[in-house]
Amino acid sequence: MGEYQTILTEVHERVGLIRLNRPRAFNALNAQLMQELTDALSAFDADPAIGAIVITGNEKVFAAGADIKEMAAATAADMLTSGYIDLFDRIRTVSKPIIAAVSGWALGGGFELAMTCDMIVASETAQFGQPEINLGIIPGAGGTQRLTRTVGKYLAMEIVLNDRRLKAEEALRFGLVNRVVPVERYLDEALALAQQLAARAPLALRIAKEAVNRALETSLTEGLAYERRVFYLLFATDDQKEGMAAFLEKRQPQWQGK
């Protein structure tokens, strides 16, 4: 994996960890950071030794939003041609599960980044919000869409239109995060969850992630048809034979990812 200037990468057994690392800018998501983040995600996704990925910031801030200094003088054409928002779309193409480990502020683009992940582990100090309305703009990297699909129209309206912030326990209650833990444990908890995922059958894990995502993007009829096709498809894999044999033999399966 290459050298990065705005992120740090680590490997914990079968989990790839990416730390956003612009502390003086509160981990603001500038173009360089987003490019390096998506490059690191692609590298971990292509590595057969990695089964799951965690993205985190630090205890005080996950990411406080996009880098406003980089955007303040931009024109509509600049934003359209920069490819910045397109980098968020690249995260959706990662086949392995991604967990956001969030402590402190996750605002604007930082909240949108967390919502592109498959699961969110939050510390007790985590706060989520879409404050773009204060800048005369709206969320542009999925905030109005993913948030509404998760919490419903009325709460999403208040968050997007009136800069309502959600504390960690509120986010848990509204289904935005998987769990809330003390600050000193939030990253360990996310890594432990990622290790559990990484121990699953790799092909089934990848297909299960895609099937759940399809539920948000298609009709029930189309989603059920997709689920059934990939369910049948998995019976052509060695992992299905191994998993069912291990169950019948009362032993732990040895996954091959094929």
Side-chain angles (χ1 to χ4, degrees):
M1 191 170 288
E3 293 294 323
Y4 301 113
Q5 296 180 342
T6 64
I7 64 171
L8 301 171
T9 60
E10 305 169 19
V11 174
H12 296 253
E13 297 180 20
R14 284 183 46 77
V15 174
L17 173 63
I18 302 172
R19 296 179 187 265
L20 310 181
N21 189 40
R22 297 187 71 211
R24 293 183 180 179
F26 302 101
N27 288 339
L29 305 177
N30 65 0
Q32 181 181 6
L33 185 150
M34 287 302 301
Q35 184 66 61
E36 291 184 354
L37 172 63
T38 53
D39 287 348
L41 285 168
S42 296
F44 280 140
D45 200 30
D47 186 347
I50 298 298
I53 304 165
V54 173
I55 301 174
T56 194
N58 56 56
E59 290 185 358
K60 295 182 179 180
V61 60
F62 178 71
D67 193 326
I68 304 306
K69 290 181 180 178
E70 200 171 63
M71 292 182 172
T75 66
D78 292 335
M79 295 303 297
L80 180 65
T81 59
S82 70
Y84 175 79
I85 299 295
D86 297 338
L87 294 171
F88 285 83
D89 293 335
R90 278 184 58 187
I91 299 172
R92 293 179 64 242
T93 69
V94 175
S95 63
K96 294 171 183 175
I98 307 171
I99 299 172
V102 177
S103 188
W105 297 107
L107 301 177
F111 190 13
E112 290 173 306
L113 173 59
M115 288 191 289
T116 65
C117 298
D118 303 301
M119 302 178 197
I120 302 175
V121 173
S123 85
E124 293 171 332
T125 66
Q127 291 198 41
F128 303 88
Q130 299 287 171
E132 288 89 346
I133 198 75
N134 300 326
L135 303 174
I137 58 172
I138 69 168
T144 65
Q145 302 303 302
R146 291 189 178 93
L147 183 62
T148 306
R149 282 166 168 77
T150 303
V151 305
K153 169 186 172 179
Y154 300 102
L155 181 57
M157 284 288 191
E158 189 175 0
I159 293 169
V160 174
L161 275 64
N162 204 38
D163 190 20
R164 175 174 172 179
R165 309 290 172 87
L166 292 181
K167 295 183 179 180
E169 289 295 340
E170 290 180 300
L172 180 64
R173 187 163 71 249
F174 291 119
L176 269 167
V177 305
N178 293 78
R179 60 197 67 173
V180 177
V181 297
V183 176
E184 60 271 19
R185 285 181 41 215
Y186 83 99
L187 183 54
D188 289 340
E189 187 78 11
L191 288 169
L193 177 57
Q195 295 289 7
Q196 292 172 3
L197 295 169
R200 307 294 182 186
L203 291 177
L205 196 71
R206 174 178 180 171
I207 288 175
K209 169 177 170 170
E210 176 63 21
V212 172
N213 282 330
R214 286 289 182 105
L216 297 174
E217 300 172 359
T218 63
S219 69
L220 178 60
T221 299
E222 292 169 327
L224 288 170
Y226 176 81
E227 178 189 78
R228 199 156 302 167
R229 287 197 303 272
V230 293
F231 171 75
Y232 294 148
L233 175 64
L234 285 168
F235 279 77
T237 67
D238 291 345
D239 279 352
Q240 175 269 327
K241 301 298 185 290
E242 167 64 10
M244 293 191 176
F247 176 82
L248 294 172
E249 295 165 11
K250 298 180 171 57
R251 61 176 175 81
Q252 290 296 315
Q254 302 296 313
W255 306 120
Q256 300 299 316
K258 59 182 181 179

